[in-house]
Amino acid sequence: MLGRIAETSPAGRRSRAQISALTGLTKASVSSLVLELISSGLVTEVGLNQQSRGRPGVELELNPNKAVLGAEINVDYLAVGVVSLAGTLLMHEVRERDNRSDGVERVMAALSQQCAVTAVAAEKKGIDVLGGGLAVPGLIDAAGQVVVSAPNLGWKNARPDLRVLLPGSPLGVVLCNEANAAALAEMDHQSDTDFMFVSGEVGVGGGLVVGRELFTGADGHAGEVGHVVVDPYGSDCLCGGRGCLETVAGQDAIADAAGLAGHPARSSRSLTLSVLLGLLKEGDARALSAVERAGFCLGLALASSARIVPFTLVVLGGHLAVLDPWLRISLMDSLQRYSAGRFPSGNVLVSALGSTGALLGAAGLALRSVLEAPHTLRR
């Protein structure tokens, strides 16, 4: 029933009677459940519903002062945000940090400090953070809360202490793969039921959605498009393979191929991308060639993947979204060459979520636990 309240907009809030009609529950049952939800602080009464017949009913909405936290660890930054129960991003902060040089404990310590600052800021605004989600760029055993492998971070069978992020929160913190999390967040913005979200950071990740559900396969690792081999004689990949898409289309790989290896700009993720964009706008041949090759290899990997799981829509995120104006021609050429007719130009999109996709998706997993089992919040 909480889901029925969550799916309404401010202009279309529902009363108890309307929820009763939608769910098939008796009015007495709905009233009893609503009282419990109000008592738990998840739902508030906001006014009269003038659309109902007879006497107007009291409208219900999710409590705007309750929220969840989303966090992301990536190779060169930490991100934290607060998301309302309705899915609105209320606060967001990204801090650049080289996480490759530290172990899991030091990275988690830095992230916990950032989460603590964010939680205090939320509390000052009257927002109660109930729990959260953490997205990491690696293979995840969600049940065991283990990062099985995150090659770009140098983590293997790492067990981050999630409790330090939100000590004492009733829901705790869940762990997820960053590309899968971003794909979940993207699902609310796509009408197509089947799509591949491609996350472009230092590495390249993929999240596959089939039939409006995240498809992860039996081992939870489906959709790893970044480790599809696009050049069998190419560079070694940190995953242990060779010639993976990541070695051509990852941010570091593109920057190195563009001639930025050893450049002062490499000290900062944002500066690297800024310098690369400047070179592309100037028509620098080496930069253009690097991005063109990345786009072509991306198309090859996607065309190959779509032969196995027939998705027809691609959504680009991270630096791949930023570089879209320069890589699209080679990307589309490759898709048409190796998977003719499957991907018209309108079926390759740039994510509208910017850098917040993984964070929103991680928070969304925490939101789902609230909506599916609100009784867990009883203290």
Side-chain angles (χ1 to χ4, degrees):
M1 189 184 71
L2 188 58
R4 290 293 189 179
I5 299 173
E7 68 190 15
T8 61
S9 65
R13 298 187 185 100
R14 290 168 178 155
S15 66
R16 289 169 173 79
Q18 289 171 321
I19 292 172
S20 174
L22 285 168
T23 62
L25 296 172
T26 66
K27 292 181 180 179
S29 295
V30 169
S31 292
S32 177
L33 290 170
V34 167
L35 285 175
E36 287 190 32
L37 292 173
I38 291 174
S39 177
S40 70
L42 292 175
V43 170
T44 59
E45 297 177 313
V46 291
L48 296 179
N49 189 303
Q50 302 296 337
Q51 299 176 16
S52 58
R53 294 181 179 180
R55 188 174 64 182
V58 177
E59 292 181 337
L60 304 168
E61 72 170 3
L62 297 178
N63 190 340
N65 294 322
K66 300 290 184 180
V68 293
L69 182 139
E72 180 188 1
I73 296 173
N74 220 299
V75 176
D76 47 8
Y77 67 87
L78 300 174
V80 176
V82 174
V83 180
S84 74
L85 296 184
T88 302
L89 185 62
L90 305 175
M91 304 170 65
H92 180 221
E93 181 192 37
V94 178
R95 294 183 184 177
E96 292 195 356
R97 185 182 192 277
D98 185 358
N99 296 312
R100 286 173 286 199
S101 60
D102 280 342
V104 60
E105 292 82 7
R106 289 176 63 86
V107 173
M108 289 298 291
L111 182 61
S112 68
Q113 291 178 359
Q114 191 171 344
C115 288
V117 171
T118 301
V120 169
E123 185 178 2
K124 289 181 178 178
K125 293 184 177 182
I127 299 171
D128 182 18
V129 178
L130 303 174
L134 170 62
V136 176
L139 302 180
I140 304 296
D141 173 5
Q145 301 286 271
V146 177
V147 181
V148 178
S149 176
N152 289 312
L153 288 172
W155 295 3
K156 190 172 182 64
N157 293 322
R159 295 180 178 272
D161 185 359
L162 302 175
R163 296 170 300 177
V164 303
L165 301 184
L166 285 174
S169 65
L171 291 177
V173 178
V174 295
L175 183 66
C176 58
N177 170 270
E178 59 91 18
N180 285 341
L184 284 173
E186 196 66 44
M187 192 160 55
D188 293 334
H189 297 264
Q190 304 302 334
S191 58
D192 199 299
T193 57
D194 303 337
F195 68 90
M196 173 74 82
F197 176 84
V198 186
S199 168
E201 302 293 343
V202 169
V204 175
L208 181 59
V209 173
V210 178
R212 304 297 293 174
E213 293 287 341
L214 185 66
F215 179 75
T216 58
D219 61 359
H221 303 158
E224 284 293 324
V225 67
H227 297 289
V228 172
V229 176
V230 295
D231 182 359
Y233 304 103
S235 303
D236 291 338
C237 182
L238 289 174
C239 75
R242 170 175 287 190
C244 298
L245 174 63
E246 189 170 290
T247 66
V248 179
Q251 182 174 294
D252 281 357
I254 293 175
D256 288 348
L260 296 180
H263 192 285
R266 295 303 299 277
S267 63
S268 164
R269 169 177 176 266
S270 58
L271 186 56
T272 299
L273 194 54
S274 177
V275 171
L276 178 61
L277 287 172
L279 292 173
L280 292 169
K281 291 173 183 178
E282 293 170 3
D284 181 87
R286 193 169 176 182
L288 290 169
S289 176
V291 174
E292 180 182 350
R293 182 166 184 252
F296 189 85
C297 289
L298 173 59
L300 175 60
L302 289 168
S304 299
S305 300
R307 296 290 185 182
I308 301 171
V309 181
F311 59 90
T312 56
L313 178 70
V314 176
V315 183
L316 303 178
H319 72 266
L320 296 174
V322 177
L323 298 176
D324 176 68
W326 294 275
L327 62 74
R328 179 168 286 266
I329 291 177
S330 61
L331 168 59
M332 296 308 303
D333 176 51
S334 182
L335 285 172
Q336 294 307 314
R337 182 178 301 189
Y338 299 111
S339 188
R342 182 178 292 276
F343 298 99
S345 59
N347 280 28
V348 178
L349 308 176
V350 170
S351 173
L353 299 178
S355 62
T356 65
L359 182 151
L360 286 169
L365 288 173
L367 283 174
R368 183 174 299 180
S369 65
V370 175
L371 299 179
E372 292 179 351
H375 60 275
T376 60
L377 290 175
R378 292 173 182 168
R379 309 188 191 188

